[in-house]
Amino acid sequence: MTYDPNNIFARILRGEIPCKKVYEDAHVLAFHDINPQTPVHVLVIPKGAYVSFDDFSAKASDAEIAAWIRATGKIARDLGVAESGYRVLSNIGSDGHQEVPHLHMHLFGGKPLGRMIKPADK
Ligand code: 5GP
C-alpha cells in the first residue's frame, strides 16, 4: 500500500481539516474519532507518513515508535480508562478493514467492550 498524501489524516496533520485534539507532541497527534463507537474513542497517529503497522515498524525511528506507544498509554490514563479498561486496535489493509491509509491506533473505552471477535467469526 502506498502512502496517499491527501488522505484525511494527512490533511488533519497539515491543519486543512479541524480535529478535536486530545494530545500532541513532536511525533504524535491524537484526536477524537468523528464517529465514536464507544464513549471514549480516540485516534492516535504518528505524524510521519506511514500507512501501516508493518511500514511503521520497518521505517520509523526508535523515537517515533516510543512516542506513539507512550502517547497511547498516557491518553488512556489521562482520559480515565486505565483503571476500568480499554482496547487499542489498529486496522491494517484490506482484510483489516482499514479505511484511512495513515497508520492509526484506535483507543476505545468508557464501557464494557465485549469480546474482540465473536466465536462464530473465527
Ligand atoms: P479505520 O477503519 O481506517 O481503522 O478507521 C478510520 C477512522 O477514522 C474511523 O473510525 C472514522 O470514523 C475516522 N475518521 C474518518 N474521517 C475522519 C475525520 O475527518 N476526522 C476524525 N476525527 N475521524 C475521522
Side-chain angles (χ1 to χ4, degrees), residues 8-9 31-35 91 97-100 104 106:
I8 202 93
F9 293 169
F31 47 89
H32 292 284
D33 195 291
I34 202 167
N35 183 24
N91 296 316
H97 211 282
Q98 181 179 9
E99 291 176 1
V100 178
H104 48 284
H106 294 261

